[in-house]
């Protein structure tokens, strides 16, 4: 039975599918435009950069105290916004959320 409503989980999955699909469709054009060698090096660099950035962000979790983690899990704040709030204050967290919102569209 469909109610016509989507859960938060389904919304996130739809957004991820859209982002991944756009990237997958852009890769062949990038290879055609930039050449196989240059685009392979670029793609490997971007993959390494994503791994590095992800590991750095995961490593920053220790900056949040147990109380801050508990507050984060009970709020709608993103993990990066919680970290930004601790590191640079309330306005920094708002800026992070604004950028995330902008990146979705």
């Amino acid at each position: 039975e469909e109610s016509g409503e989507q859960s938060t989980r389904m919304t996130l999955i739809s957004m991820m599918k859209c982002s991944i699909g756009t990237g997958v469709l852009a890769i062949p054009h990038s290879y055609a435009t930039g050449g196989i060698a240059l685009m392979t090096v670029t793609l490997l660099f971007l993959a390494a950069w994503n791994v590095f950035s992800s590991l750095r962000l995961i490593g920053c979790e220790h900056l949040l105290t147990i109380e801050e983690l508990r507050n984060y899990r009970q709020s709608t704040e993103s993990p990066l916004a919680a970290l930004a709030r601790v590191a640079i204050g309330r306005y920094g967290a708002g800026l992070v959320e604004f950028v995330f919102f902008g990146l979705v569209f």
Side-chain angles (χ1 to χ4, degrees), residues 26-84:
I27 289 175
H29 177 69
S30 299
Y31 269 85
T33 305
I36 292 176
L38 176 63
M39 289 312 301
T40 300
V41 169
T42 302
L43 194 60
L44 290 173
F45 172 76
L46 291 174
W49 183 260
N50 282 329
V51 169
F52 171 75
S53 298
S54 298
L55 292 174
R56 295 284 299 191
L57 289 173
I58 291 168
C60 288
E61 186 179 18
H62 75 280
L63 296 175
L64 299 174
T65 65
I66 299 298
E67 185 64 31
E68 289 163 338
L69 284 171
R70 190 176 300 121
N71 289 340
Y72 154 68
R73 290 188 181 110
Q74 296 173 353
S75 74
T76 59
E77 190 174 48
S78 71
L80 283 180
L83 185 60

Side-chain angles (χ1 to χ4, degrees), residues 77 81-82 84-85 88-101:
E77 190 174 48
R85 184 177 32 76
I88 54 179
R90 181 175 95 193
Y91 296 111
L95 179 63
V96 168
E97 292 288 8
F98 176 76
V99 169
F100 274 166
F101 182 76

